C-alpha cells in the first residue's frame, strides 16, 4: 500500500527510544524526512544517523526538553529552518511518575501538566499555521489506553492524557476544513523502557518478580502478549498517510484487545 508520504516532513518527539523511535523509523521507511527530538543528545544523534543510513531519508536530531516552552520553540525553529515545513506532527512525551493521589505533591501535577499537555499545545501551535496554509496536515498524539481504561497507580497519566484527548477531539473539528486531521494513538502494554520500569515498580510494591507482573498483564490481553514497538508504529504511519484522510478525531488503541469497552 502506497501511503503517499514520500517527501513529507515528520516531527516526532520522544524519539530517542521506544515508541517514538519506532514511529520515526517507520515514517522514514515510508519516505518521510524526519525530525527527532528528545533530551538525550548523544543517543538522538546516533539514531538519526542510523535512520539516514538505513532509509536514505534526511533525519535531523534536535535535543529538546518538552517541559520547556523555550526548548520546544527551539525545536520548531530548527525543524522549519532545516525543512521549511512540518507536514506530520507526532507528539510523544515520557509518562508522568507513578503513584496515588495522596503520594503526589501539587508540584507533581504542575510538572505533569506542563510536560504531557503543555508540550502538545506548544507543538501544535507551532505547526498549525503552516498546515493551514498548505491545506494538508496530520497531528497524531501518542497517549495511552489509560484514557479509556484507567490504570491503577497512574493517576497523573490517567488524568492529563485524558485532557490531551479532549483537546485533540475538539481541535479535529476546528481544523478539518483545512485538510488537517487530528488523532490519538493509544499504546497498550508494549515492550518499552517505560513498561519495564512500571513492571519493576509494581514488582517491588507487590513483593513479586517483574516477570510475574508481566505475566499478570498478559493474562488481561486477549492476544496473550505484549506488543512490539513496530506494531504500534504501523498505526501511526497509517494515520499520517494520504489513505487516512477521512479519519479524524479518533482515539485508536493498539492493545491486543486489552481495553474492554
Amino acid at each position: 500500500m502506497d501511503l503517499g508520504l514520500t517527501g513529507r516532513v515528520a516531527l516526532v518527539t520522544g524519539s530517542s527510544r521506544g515508541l517514538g523511535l519506532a514511529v520515526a523509523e517507520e515514517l522514514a521507511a515510508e519516505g518521510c524526512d524526519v525530525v527527532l527530538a528528545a533530551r538525550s543528545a548523544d543517543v538522538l544523534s546516533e539514531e538519526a544517523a542510523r535512520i539516514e543510513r538505513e532509509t536514505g531519508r534526511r533525519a535531523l536530531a534536535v535535543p529538546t526538553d518538552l517541559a520547556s516552552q523555550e526548548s520546544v520553540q527551539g525545536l520548531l525553529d530548527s525543524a522549519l529552518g532545516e525543512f521549511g515545513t512540518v507536514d506530520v506532527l507526532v507528539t510523544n512525551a515520557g509518562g508522568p511518575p507513578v503513584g496515588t493521589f495522596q503520594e503526589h505533591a501539587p508540584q507533581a501535577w504542575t510538572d505533569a501538566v506542563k510536560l504531557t499537555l503543555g508540550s502538545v499545545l506548544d507543538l501544535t501551535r507551532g505547526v498549525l499555521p503552516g498546515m493551514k496554509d498548505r491545506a494538508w496536515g496530520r497531528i497524531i498524539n501518542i497517549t495511552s489506553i489509560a484514557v479509556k481504561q484507567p490504570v491503577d497507580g497512574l493517576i497523573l497519566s490517567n488524568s492529563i492524557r485524558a485532557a490531551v484527548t479532549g483537546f485533540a477531539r475538539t481541535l479535529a473539528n476546528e481544523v478539518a476544513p483545512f485538510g488537517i486531521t487530528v488523532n490519538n494513538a493509544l499504546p497498550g502494554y508494549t515492550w518499552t523502557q517505560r513498561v519495564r520500569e512500571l513492571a519493576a515498580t509494581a514488582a517491588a510494591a507487590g513483593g513479586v518478580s517483574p516477570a510475574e507482573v508481566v505475566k499478570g498483564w498478559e493474562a488481561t490481553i486477549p492476544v496473550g502478549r505484549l506488543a512490539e514497538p513496530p506494531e504500534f508504529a504501523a498505526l501511526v504511519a497509517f494515520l499520517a498517510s494520504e489513505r487516512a484522510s477521512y479519519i479524524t478525531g479518533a482515539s485508536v488503541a493498539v492493545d491486543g484487545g486489552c481495553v474492554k469497552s
Side-chain angles (χ1 to χ4, degrees), residues 76-129:
L76 292 165
D77 291 344
S78 295
L80 295 173
E82 180 72 17
F83 295 108
T85 181
V86 172
D87 302 299
V88 178
L89 170 65
V90 182
T91 73
N92 175 45
V98 302
T100 64
F101 175 69
Q102 290 189 309
E103 289 172 335
H104 292 304
Q107 187 62 44
W109 284 89
T110 300
D111 293 343
V113 168
K114 184 182 298 185
L115 174 64
T116 306
L117 176 62
S119 63
V120 172
L121 304 181
D122 294 338
L123 289 161
T124 302
R125 191 178 293 114
V127 303
L128 202 54

Side-chain angles (χ1 to χ4, degrees), residues 13 36-40 44 62-68 71-75:
T13 62
L36 282 71
R39 287 178 297 179
S40 48
L44 199 67
V62 184
T64 306
D65 177 3
L66 291 177
S68 163
S71 185
V72 170
Q73 187 59 54
L75 165 62

